Every structure is written in structure tokens, then in C-alpha cells.
Amino acid sequence: MRLLRTKTLEFEDFLDSQLPVYAILSHRWGEHEVSYKEMRGFQKEHLAATNEERYKAAEASGLGMAKIKNFCQKASSNGFDWGWIDTCCIDKRSSAELSESINAMFKWYARSSVCYIYLSDFEFPVHEQELGSEHDIQAWYHRIWPTMSPNFKASAWFTRGWTLQELLAPKTSQISFLDGNWTLIGHLSDLLDDVSAATGIAKMFLTEMGFRNQQRQAGVSIARIMSWASRRNTSREEDVAYCLLGLFNVHMPLLYGEGAANAFHRLQVEIMKESDDESLFAWTSNREFSGLLAPSPACFANSENILASRYAGIRPPYSMTNKGLALSLSYLEPRAPTPVATETTDIPRTKMPSWSQAEVESSQSAQRPIPPDEQTKVFSWADVKDIVETNRLDLIRRKPSERIVYKAWCKDIIAAYGSITAYMCAERLHWTPSPLPADVEATSGPVFNYRDPTPFADPRDFRILRNDWPYGSFGPEITHLIVWCKPRIATDPEKGLVTPEAKRSIDAFVDRTFVQRLGVEGPDADGKVLWFKNWGALQSVRGLEHIHVLVRDVPEAIIEEWS
């Protein structure tokens, strides 16, 4: 791997086993990018110059060289001695080096210690000089960001093919977004909602767990990954396939000139050699094509919710023959005039499209019928209000397909983290539990150091998040938030209900945080805001204290302000 020394703008080659810590740049190519040959010429021309003189010369040498200088300067100011940028660190005159680099690029981004995502077409207002305290900055951010978010999501960076792997390869904590002036916009962890909206990638695949771990643990389907690439474009037509190599962990030689369709066909053949996932064939098109393999990633535009297929036994292998793709599929005759989906892999393939949002659990082969989602009652605000007031919380539930997917997700998260609680602490709340005292049993979940023992009294002791797995039984006008809390909420030991004192404390918190923000009061408050604390038996994450807050017809900007 060829790296650029950030202080001197000089190259040095490293073996993979000897790589130093380095920063990496993700950006859109412009018209005046600097090639490896041009960079070598610049280095020779300024061989005797000081570091400062090289920086000044680079700044004056055009937009492409200025980009390299600004990247190196940013990395150096953050303590990185080495950096990598795809414009000049690859000698594209060598087809062998270009092929090797493209096949290794996902790995290079994954190994970087920081990835700067440079949005040249977005400008973020400078505010550091105006605002002194962290509180001032946060207040300013919440006030100004809703007006800037649309421009951020409209950046052309989100439309390029190569930037998909550059977003997914590094860990969340290693990604920083910079504007056209190289000003920090925020870290990926701060911008998850916006990035998810701009890319169509669910937030769970953008978390600190990392895409590759998610892919391995959660079984991200081929069709879903293809859907993320379906609306992206590349300058060279073959790159629509080549830019996806790392995402599927496959390798193949580059043949520029073969055309996009041939390149994408070869990619799918390589994927089949590594995966049994039949979602590769779950694509659609309004044009006539022959064969099971798609001609373009664009054919997967509607495949976001297709899940990876799983098998209890060994999948019969695919093979490419001189007549095309050969594969074997199981087929069962329908058992009844109106078949119902069951939790088993023995589902006729003709029924799979309508079942695409449900995880099919091969281990549960008892043919337990799953009612269709349409049978789940969707509650209006008046319904939910009545359920909360009468404490019939067991009526609030997810749709059948949502429950199956959620159970599958829980299984994978537990395999990776040990428990849902550990995942929430590490990835969503970023809270570190305190060691338990010797006389306390570890039966009630983790213990945290908090500022105030009264729940929700100190903002540093709680965090408001959207429900990652909202209930499909709520109407579309209802937004489901969860407020996670470090101190424990007092409950009646016999009935499990919140004590009167704790209820007054929660009421006061909900009023000042949600009700007052919406400008409603008195009898009108419960027309916009409701809260409840689930029974212990109904809680998915019993080890962490939390309450549920439901709000009705609240603008997205205010939801983002809270969460």
C-alpha cells in the first residue's frame, strides 16, 4: 500500500504487515485531480523545499493539489503522519496495480484509523468563534441543522458508486464528515438519521458493530446490498460492478472495455461461488431479459426488504454451464386452497415474494401458522390513549412479520454481544456500566454512575432515542420514542407499577421535555403526548431502565431535536 506522508507530501510503500496508522479520504472526483505521475513530478520539483513551502506550493497548484494538501493538513492536525487518497496513491498507468488496488480498497478503508468524507458541494456555517460552551454549540446545532439537513442529504457524494463501500467499510466512530471548506460537520454517529435517509441504508447497518460484522452475524442479504447500490452511478460503466467487489468480499480481474452488463454478470458469478443466498435472484425490471442474473444493480431498486435465504441442511451448489445457470430448488405442493405462511423453510418458491419481509426460521419446523400482517389491528391515537389509561399494554405489539425479523435480529445480536443490553450500552447509548458492589447480585441489569438519583432530573443521566423496532400496530401519525435512564425508576414490588412519587417525577419530565416543546398544556397535552412504562414481562431489554413516549403529528425536525 502506498501512503502519503502528511507533513511532507512524500510517498512511501508499505507491506500489509507493516502498515502504520493512517487516515483515508472519501470524496468525489473533480475535473482537476492529481495523478500519481503528476504527484511524483511535484515531489521532485519541491524536493529541497520545507514542509511549509510544499504546502503553499500545493495550494497554488490547482484544485486537485489543493485537495491533497488540505486532506494531509487535516490529518496531520489530528495526529496522523500518513494518509491515503485514491487520486494520487495509485499508479493507474499500471493495470496490475489498479486491479490490485480496487480489489483491496474495501480492506484499506476498513483498516484506516479515520475516514474523512469530504462533501465539496456542502458548506457548513462556522460557529466556533461565536459560541463558547458545549451547551451553546449543541443548542445552535439543534436550531440550525434542520434547515441544513436537506442540503446535506442532497450532496452528490451520496450518489456515487465508489462511496458506498467507503461509507460501510470503516467503523462508525472512524468516520467524520467535512464540508467544502474542510470544516467538521459531524461524526457518522451524530448524523445517522440523515445518512440513513440519504442512502436508504437502515441505521442498524451503520452502527459501531460495523458492516462486515453485521454481514457475517445478521446475514445481510445480497439483494439488500444491491439495493443500496441501485441508484448510484459511476463515471466508467464497468465500475458499477467493480465498486461492489469489497462489499461482497469477492475478487476478480478488471477488464475495462467489457461493458457494464458483462462486468456485473461476472460479479454475480463470483458472488455465487461464495454464497448460497438466493436473494441474488430477487430483482425486477420493466424490460425483457433472459436468465436469472440481473443486467444491472438498478434492477434491485425494490429489493431493500428481501432477506437472506437460510437452509437447515447443505444447499445444492449452483453452477454455470454453457447453457446458463444450473441450480436445484425444493418444491412443495400447496397443502390447502389458501396456504398460510409458516415458520419453516419448506415454503413454495412462488410464495416467497409476499414473504420477503419475514425471517423464515428453519429451526422452527412445527408448521406453526403465522397470521398475515393485515390481521394486526392498527391503533389510532384514541385507541392508544385508552390502552395506556387502562393499562392493557399487552395489546400493543408488532406485526407478525416484524416479530419474526426482530427475533432473528435479537439472536444475531446476542451471538455477537452476549445480550441485547450489552449491545444497547455499547452501540446505542454509549454508556459504560460501573462494577457491581460485592453485596449486589447481577440480577437487575447493569449499574451506572449518575449525576442525580432522581430519574430524568439530569440530562446527562438519560438519553432519548427513536424506537429501533417500532410497533406496526401504531398509526402512521404516531412516533415512538424511548427514554433510557441510568437511575432506577421506583416500582411497587407486588404489582410492578410505577410508584406515585416516581409517576409525578416522570410526569414532570414529560411535561417540560415534550409537552412544553410542542406548546400544548392542560387537557390538550394528552392529545399530543403519552407515556407508559411497560410491564416487566413485556420488556425486550429488561436490564436497562426506560419509559416509552408516544407523540402525535410532530414535525421531523422536532423529533430529531429530541433524539
Side-chain angles (χ1 to χ4, degrees), residues 291-462:
L292 280 176
L293 299 184
S296 163
C299 296
F300 290 88
N302 299 317
S303 301
E304 160 66 16
N305 294 318
I306 301 295
L307 301 180
S309 52
R310 296 183 178 182
Y311 297 89
I314 299 175
R315 175 69 175 82
Y318 311 136
S319 61
M320 289 300 298
T321 72
N322 63 330
K323 301 296 184 181
L325 176 64
L327 73 162
S328 300
L329 295 175
S330 299
Y331 178 79
L332 292 179
E333 291 290 342
R335 295 187 178 90
T338 306
V340 295
T342 57
E343 293 184 40
T344 171
T345 54
D346 296 330
I347 298 176
R349 184 157 179 79
T350 54
K351 292 294 179 184
M352 287 303 290
S354 63
W355 187 239
S356 61
Q357 295 190 24
E359 178 67 50
V360 181
E361 292 284 352
S362 61
S363 61
Q364 300 181 3
S365 56
Q367 302 295 324
R368 176 160 54 91
I370 301 174
D373 285 353
E374 290 75 13
Q375 292 184 13
T376 302
K377 177 177 173 56
V378 177
F379 295 117
S380 66
W381 184 260
D383 295 330
V384 175
K385 180 181 175 183
D386 181 65
I387 289 171
V388 171
E389 290 177 347
T390 57
N391 199 31
R392 294 178 294 157
L393 302 178
D394 57 314
L395 297 179
I396 300 175
R397 59 186 62 191
R398 296 183 177 91
K399 294 179 179 179
S401 64
E402 293 172 340
R403 291 201 301 271
I404 296 172
V405 176
Y406 178 66
K407 288 178 181 179
W409 178 83
C410 288
K411 178 181 178 182
D412 294 326
I413 290 296
I414 291 170
Y417 286 85
S419 68
I420 305 298
T421 298
Y423 165 79
M424 288 298 302
C425 289
E427 308 298 353
R428 300 293 281 118
L429 299 172
H430 306 292
W431 290 349
T432 303
S434 303
L436 288 174
D439 58 342
V440 175
E441 295 184 12
T443 57
S444 58
V447 174
F448 303 95
N449 290 326
Y450 44 75
R451 305 284 180 156
D452 193 310
T454 303
F456 313 111
D458 192 305
R460 293 167 292 185
D461 291 339
F462 66 84

Side-chain angles (χ1 to χ4, degrees), residues 72-215:
C72 288
Q73 192 172 39
K74 172 66 72 171
S76 179
S77 67
N78 289 327
F80 294 96
D81 294 329
W82 300 96
W84 188 89
I85 177 172
D86 57 356
T87 55
C88 65
C89 289
I90 302 173
D91 186 356
K92 299 173 184 64
R93 297 171 299 176
S94 167
S95 58
E97 180 173 331
L98 178 61
S99 181
E100 178 185 357
S101 298
I102 288 179
N103 277 274
M105 203 169 291
F106 186 96
K107 177 179 64 178
W108 290 349
Y109 275 89
R111 287 181 176 178
S112 66
S113 295
V114 65
C115 175
Y116 297 118
I117 295 178
Y118 174 59
L119 307 184
S120 59
D121 55 357
F122 178 78
E123 187 170 337
F124 195 59
V126 177
H127 60 273
E128 286 83 358
Q129 290 82 7
E130 312 169 7
L131 307 170
S133 69
E134 178 69 20
H135 176 76
D136 290 340
I137 294 174
Q138 289 297 323
W140 173 88
Y141 184 87
H142 286 308
R143 185 176 70 255
I144 198 69
W145 183 250
T147 65
M148 305 191 65
S149 174
N151 290 336
F152 172 81
K153 291 182 286 192
S155 172
W157 183 89
F158 291 109
T159 69
R160 304 302 295 170
W162 288 104
T163 59
L164 179 59
Q165 69 171 358
E166 295 163 13
L167 172 67
L168 293 172
K171 291 183 178 179
T172 303
S173 60
Q174 296 168 340
I175 296 178
S176 298
F177 284 86
L178 307 175
D179 75 349
N181 297 316
W182 297 86
T183 301
L184 177 66
I185 303 169
H187 305 291
L188 176 55
S189 56
D190 304 319
L191 300 166
L192 281 177
D193 288 335
D194 296 282
V195 174
S196 177
T199 60
I201 302 173
K203 288 188 289 185
M204 67 177 290
F205 300 112
L206 299 171
T207 63
E208 196 59 49
M209 188 178 179
F211 167 73
R212 185 62 81 206
N213 284 334
Q214 287 276 20
Q215 191 178 31

Side-chain angles (χ1 to χ4, degrees), residues 26-43:
S26 173
H27 66 115
R28 285 191 306 125
W29 278 49
E31 296 181 359
H32 307 287
E33 300 296 350
V34 176
S35 68
Y36 169 76
K37 179 181 178 181
E38 291 168 333
M39 192 65 190
R40 290 293 294 165
F42 175 87
Q43 292 167 347

